[in-house]
């Protein structure tokens, strides 16, 4: 009896707890149901409140300004546009675009809940996220701005719902194909078919359709004329996605696209490409640039750019046609690109972004590393020629013309461009310390996917840096070298090189504004002593552009011949740092119109001098900083010794 009573005493509270739990569950279900219904009503109400425009937003050209914000650099706009019916687009081409952008297009209601949630989380975290369906993309491109915000995403959702109710899937796809921007000023698939392949849409092949599908994500970056490797990688990925859906069979050959027929095909066209690429990194799409009437203020200086184009044309007049030239100038106070010449024509190669052996223009970097280590520019070294060094692996190192200077200061060695003293300095400091200095000053760790300033495959020490770095054995781009010399000119402050100052919409609302990105890469005293040495180079070699300036030439030998393959001049004033490179598309002997070998101290130096003079004409003259005289000034690499000053280290 007592056992039974005990059972009842234990089970009673448990039944009461179970009852309460059931009631709570019922109430929770009611609350969730009501909340979901309320949310649904809210969504329905919001969708109804967003009007669906009758016509897409009118396409407007954008304007690029020089840095004064008033002088027009270029107008960028879509002028190549005509609509075609969906039936004129071959099915494999349509499927290629669906594989790239929205594989479930025919099976959803116009929106992706998962994509919306992912975009919301990303935006709250300060990142950009897309994942829109084709219907949402059409809604955004046809009716909305390119803002990356939750408000625009919500409107995009509402418009997508209304579009799905008003039009069939085929009608939406047709409108999308005729509205999307494919690059090359091609707005719509008919214009794209002609711009890339010179055909009408009905003659597009599946392989060509994959190329066009690739450009939708990034019309500039996935254009084969701009980045062939990236375009092909994207093409391959989309082809695999199409095969996975059963839309594509067999093996396809990658089709050859025609050269870009840009509206502005001259040298400034390359600048436009640089601007477009940079804007994309900041969330301003190629489509927005070409269709939304933006106002873009660049860093380009009208006087400097005009001087660059004019002086390149003047100094190259009558020269062999296969010579290539690059000229890049940056503002040492901000990193803004003031002038840029990468070639005669847009849509091909930007020589200012191509890497070549830096030759003796790299020696100032060695000097900076030495000064930081407490070695003075007045320290003395053996500048004899030839000399044997462990890092040369048994190959003697020569100075040009076998110049002899057995007891030479680093300043004198720089003025006379001697190789052996700077090689000795690098062996003393370690090649890795010189490489680190180069990276600190502005040489990036890699050129694309290729590690920078190290041996490559087939070299003696793949992946490692040899002391040959001292004589510019490794390749750098003219643009990156301009950043290095800009750091010297800026007193050791390194600024991020950039082309764009600000972007505004048609109504003047700012979409993006550049923010300073700088760091103290070098001690001011070290930068001042480097400048003093390079000022002696310019002064004693007759390169002065009618104002105080500092700089260094460089010449890269062509194999074991008496010819050269690269010729450089890099230099600066306090207001402008610039680099000139002359060479060929494929390395080979470079000679001038008289048949004389081109070296850094002839054609490139004259071009640099005249450009600097004209770019700064009428501007106030600014003095270079006084040398700080840091470091130990004794004999480091000569047999005789002398008294030396106390050593000062900069870490």
């Amino acid at each position: 009896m007592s056992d039974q009573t005990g059972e009842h005493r234990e089970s009673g509270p448990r039944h009461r707890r179970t009852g309460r739990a059931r009631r709570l569950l019922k109430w929770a279900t009611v609350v969730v149901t009501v909340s979901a219904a309320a949310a649904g009503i809210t969504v329905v109400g919001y969708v109804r409140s967003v009007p669906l425009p009758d016509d897409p937003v009118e396409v407007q050209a954008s304007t690029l300004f020089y840095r004064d914000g008033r002088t027009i650099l270029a107008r960028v706009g879509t002028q190549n546009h005509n609509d075609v019916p969906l039936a004129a687009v071959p099915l494999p081409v349509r499927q290629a675009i669906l594989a790239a952008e929205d594989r479930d297009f025919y099976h959803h209601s116009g929106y992706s809940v998962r994509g919306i949630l992912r975009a919301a989380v990303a935006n709250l975290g300060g990142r950009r996220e897309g994942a829109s369906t084709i219907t949402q993309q059409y809604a955004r491109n046809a009716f909305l701005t390119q803002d990356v915000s939750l408000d625009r995403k919500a409107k995009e959702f509402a418009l997508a719902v209304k579009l799905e109710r008003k039009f069939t899937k085929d009608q939406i796809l047709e409108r999308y194909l005729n509205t999307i921007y494919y690059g090359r000023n091609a707005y719509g698939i008919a214009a794209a078919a002609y711009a890339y392949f010179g055909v009408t849409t009905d003659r597009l092949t599946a392989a060509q359709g994959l190329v066009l599908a690739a450009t939708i994500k990034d019309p500039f970056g996935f254009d084969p004329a701009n980045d062939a490797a990236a375009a092909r990688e994207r093409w391959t990925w989309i082809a695999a996605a199409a095969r996975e859906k059963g839309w594509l069979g067999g093996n396809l050959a990658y089709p050859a696209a025609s050269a870009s027929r840009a509206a502005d095909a001259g040298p400034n066209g390359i600048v436009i490409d640089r601007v477009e690429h940079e804007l994309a990194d900041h969330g301003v799409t190629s489509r927005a640039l070409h269709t939304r009437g933006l106002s873009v203020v660049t860093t380009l200086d009208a006087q400097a750019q005009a001087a660059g184009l004019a002086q390149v044309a003047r100094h190259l007049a009558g020269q062999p046609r296969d010579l290539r030239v690059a000229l890049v100038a940056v503002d040492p106070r901000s990193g803004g690109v003031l002038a840029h010449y990468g070639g005669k024509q847009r849509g091909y190669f930007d020589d200012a972004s191509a890497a070549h052996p830096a030759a003796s223009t790299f020696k100032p970097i060695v000097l900076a590393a030495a000064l930081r280590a407490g070695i003075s520019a007045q320290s003395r070294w053996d500048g004899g020629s030839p000399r044997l060094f462990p890092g040369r692996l048994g190959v003697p190192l020569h100075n040009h013309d076998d110049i002899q200077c057995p007891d030479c200061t680093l300043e004198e060695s720089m003025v006379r461009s001697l190789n052996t003293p700077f090689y000795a300095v690098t062996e003393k400091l370690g090649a890795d310390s010189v490489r680190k200095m180069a990276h600190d000053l502005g040489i990036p760790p890699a050129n694309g996917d290729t590690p920078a300033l190290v041996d490559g495959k087939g070299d003696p020490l793949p992946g490692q840096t040899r002391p040959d770095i001292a004589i510019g054995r490794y390749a750098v781009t003219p643009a990156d070298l301009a950043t290095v010399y800009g750091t010297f000119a800026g007193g050791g402050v390194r600024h991020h090189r950039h082309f764009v100052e600000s972007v505004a919409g048609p109504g003047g609302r700012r979409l993006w504004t550049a923010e300073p990105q700088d760091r103290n890469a070098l001690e001011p005293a070290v930068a001042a002593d480097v400048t003093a040495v390079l000022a002696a180079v310019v002064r004693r070699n007759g390169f002065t552009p009618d104002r105080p300036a500092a700089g260094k030439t460089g010449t890269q030998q062509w194999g074991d011949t008496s010819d050269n393959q690269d010729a450089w001049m890099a230099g600066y004033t306090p207001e402008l740092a610039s680099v000139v490179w002359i060479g060929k598309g494929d390395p080979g002997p470079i000679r001038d119109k008289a048949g004389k070998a081109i070296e850094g101290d002839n054609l490139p130096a004259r071009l640099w001098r005249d450009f600097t003079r004209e770019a700064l004409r009428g501007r106030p003259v600014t003095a270079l900083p006084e040398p700080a005289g840091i470091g130990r000034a004794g004999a480091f690499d000569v047999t005789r010794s002398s008294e030396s000053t106390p050593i000062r280290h900069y870490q």
Side-chain angles (χ1 to χ4, degrees):
M1 185 74 177
S2 59
D3 290 341
Q4 292 174 351
T5 304
E7 259 181 38
H8 284 297
R9 282 199 299 268
E10 292 174 1
S11 63
R14 185 160 55 244
H15 283 306
R16 287 195 295 273
R17 288 195 299 271
T18 301
R20 283 198 298 271
R22 287 173 178 168
R23 287 194 296 275
L24 287 172
L25 180 60
K26 288 179 180 178
W27 275 109
T29 302
V30 171
V31 169
V32 170
T33 302
V34 171
S35 298
I41 293 171
T42 301
V43 170
V44 170
Y46 178 76
V47 169
R48 288 176 177 171
S49 72
V50 177
L52 179 63
D54 293 328
D55 298 306
V57 175
E58 182 181 354
V59 173
Q60 300 180 56
S62 295
T63 304
L64 274 56
F65 295 94
Y66 285 101
R67 66 174 178 167
D68 62 9
R70 300 185 304 274
T71 308
I72 294 176
L73 168 65
R75 294 192 187 277
V76 180
T78 300
Q79 302 168 350
N80 187 7
H81 177 213
N82 59 290
D83 291 345
V84 294
L86 186 64
V89 183
L91 180 61
V93 176
R94 288 181 250 163
Q95 291 172 331
I97 291 172
L98 293 176
E101 298 297 319
D102 189 355
R103 295 174 221 176
D104 297 322
F105 172 69
Y106 282 97
H107 304 289
H108 60 57
S109 299
Y111 57 88
S112 166
V113 175
R114 182 171 57 183
I116 294 171
L117 293 175
R118 186 164 61 245
V121 172
N123 279 287
L124 289 173
R127 305 187 313 276
R128 297 185 180 91
E129 183 66 69
S132 298
T133 66
I134 275 180
T135 311
Q136 288 173 286
Q137 288 184 51
Y138 173 67
R140 176 175 69 245
N141 294 330
F143 307 118
L144 299 174
T145 69
Q146 296 295 306
D147 292 351
V148 180
S149 65
L150 292 176
D151 180 63
R152 194 219 67 193
K153 198 71 180 175
K155 290 181 179 177
E156 180 183 297
F157 165 81
L159 291 173
V161 171
K162 288 194 168 185
L163 286 167
E164 290 277 343
R165 292 172 179 171
K166 183 174 182 179
F167 300 108
T168 67
K169 286 287 188 179
D170 281 353
Q171 288 173 325
I172 293 171
L173 182 59
E174 178 182 303
R175 286 167 172 257
Y176 173 81
L177 294 177
N178 284 315
T179 308
I180 204 71
Y181 180 65
Y182 297 84
R184 301 194 181 189
N185 269 358
Y187 180 62
I189 195 164
Y194 180 76
Y196 284 86
F197 300 107
V199 300
T200 55
T201 53
D202 59 304
R203 296 181 60 193
L204 284 171
T205 67
Q208 292 170 336
L210 291 167
V211 171
L212 299 184
T215 65
I216 295 173
K217 184 177 179 65
D218 184 350
F220 181 87
F222 292 133
D223 183 337
N226 296 327
D227 192 334
R232 185 157 192 157
E233 183 178 354
R234 176 76 175 160
W235 183 90
T236 302
W237 183 88
I238 298 170
R243 286 193 181 92
E244 186 179 319
K245 292 290 290 185
W247 293 337
L248 189 63
N251 295 320
L252 294 181
Y254 189 78
S258 61
S260 178
R261 289 186 284 268
D264 188 341
N268 276 348
I270 293 177
V271 174
I272 295 170
D273 285 344
R274 295 294 100 201
V275 169
E276 184 171 345
H277 186 71
E278 188 171 304
L279 287 173
D281 289 340
H282 299 302
V284 180
T285 66
S286 293
R287 175 188 165 79
L289 178 64
H290 286 261
T291 65
R292 292 306 168 94
L294 306 181
S295 294
V296 181
V297 178
T298 72
T299 62
L300 274 289
D301 179 84
Q303 181 173 324
Q305 182 69 0
L309 300 185
Q311 293 306 318
V312 166
R314 186 170 78 85
H315 286 273
L316 268 291
Q319 301 289 357
R321 295 175 62 86
D322 60 350
L323 288 181
R324 304 276 282 268
V325 181
L327 185 153
V328 182
V330 300
D331 187 339
R333 299 160 295 190
S334 68
V337 177
L338 300 176
H340 184 102
Y341 179 91
K344 297 178 181 178
Q345 189 160 349
R346 181 185 190 187
Y348 291 92
F349 203 68
D350 182 359
D351 285 307
S353 301
H356 310 276
S360 291
T361 60
F362 210 88
K363 288 172 181 170
I365 299 174
V366 180
L367 176 61
L371 289 165
R372 175 175 280 177
I375 299 172
S376 168
Q378 303 308 316
S379 60
R380 301 195 312 281
W381 300 76
D382 181 358
S385 175
R387 289 187 62 185
L388 286 172
F389 294 95
R392 293 287 291 174
L393 306 176
V395 179
L397 179 64
H398 293 258
N399 294 327
H400 68 93
D401 298 330
D402 269 333
I403 293 175
Q404 303 296 325
C405 187
D407 188 355
C408 237
T409 66
L410 286 183
E411 178 175 326
E412 183 67 18
S413 300
M414 187 75 75
V415 171
R416 301 173 71 178
S417 201
L418 304 183
N419 292 328
T420 53
F422 289 99
Y423 204 97
V425 170
T426 300
E427 288 212 331
K428 182 176 183 64
L429 298 175
D432 288 343
S433 68
V434 175
R435 184 188 72 239
K436 182 180 183 304
M437 174 60 73
H439 292 325
D440 288 346
L441 294 173
I443 303 298
N447 293 318
D449 296 328
T450 305
L453 307 181
V454 296
D455 277 8
K457 292 181 179 179
D459 292 329
L461 299 173
Q464 299 182 45
T465 301
R466 290 183 290 121
D468 276 28
I469 191 174
I471 54 176
R473 178 251 182 272
Y474 299 112
V476 301
T477 71
D480 290 333
L481 196 61
T483 296
V484 170
Y485 279 67
T487 304
F488 291 144
V493 179
R494 171 185 166 186
H495 298 277
H496 174 68
R497 189 176 67 254
H498 61 287
F499 281 88
V500 181
E501 284 294 340
S502 65
V503 186
R509 187 173 66 86
R510 285 290 177 95
L511 302 179
W512 182 82
T513 301
E515 296 181 358
Q517 297 183 45
D518 52 53
R519 56 178 291 241
N520 294 321
L522 199 63
E523 300 76 11
V526 173
D529 278 6
V530 170
T531 295
V533 171
L534 298 186
V537 172
V538 170
R539 187 172 59 252
R540 289 174 57 180
N541 286 283
F543 307 147
T544 304
D546 297 339
R547 62 179 61 224
K552 183 71 186 78
T553 60
T555 306
Q556 178 65 32
Q557 185 179 353
W558 167 238
D560 293 326
T561 72
S562 59
D563 278 301
N564 306 315
Q565 68 175 50
D566 301 285
W568 299 80
M569 176 66 195
Y572 53 91
T573 70
E575 305 86 4
L576 182 147
S578 56
V579 170
V580 171
W581 167 86
I582 296 179
K584 289 185 175 181
D586 294 317
I590 51 174
R591 292 180 173 271
D592 64 16
K593 57 187 176 183
K596 180 182 177 182
I598 297 175
E599 298 182 347
D601 62 359
N602 51 48
L603 188 55
R606 293 194 296 269
L607 173 51
W608 175 86
R609 177 198 62 202
D610 294 347
F611 160 73
T612 303
R613 182 180 60 242
E614 295 305 314
L616 297 175
R617 183 177 293 279
R619 310 283 173 88
V621 175
T622 307
L624 296 172
E626 292 294 324
I630 65 171
R632 178 183 170 192
F636 282 78
D637 189 43
V638 293
T639 54
R640 65 187 181 87
S641 61
S642 67
E643 295 182 0
S644 60
T645 57
I647 189 168
R648 291 169 64 188
H649 290 277
Y650 290 83
Q651 301 298 328

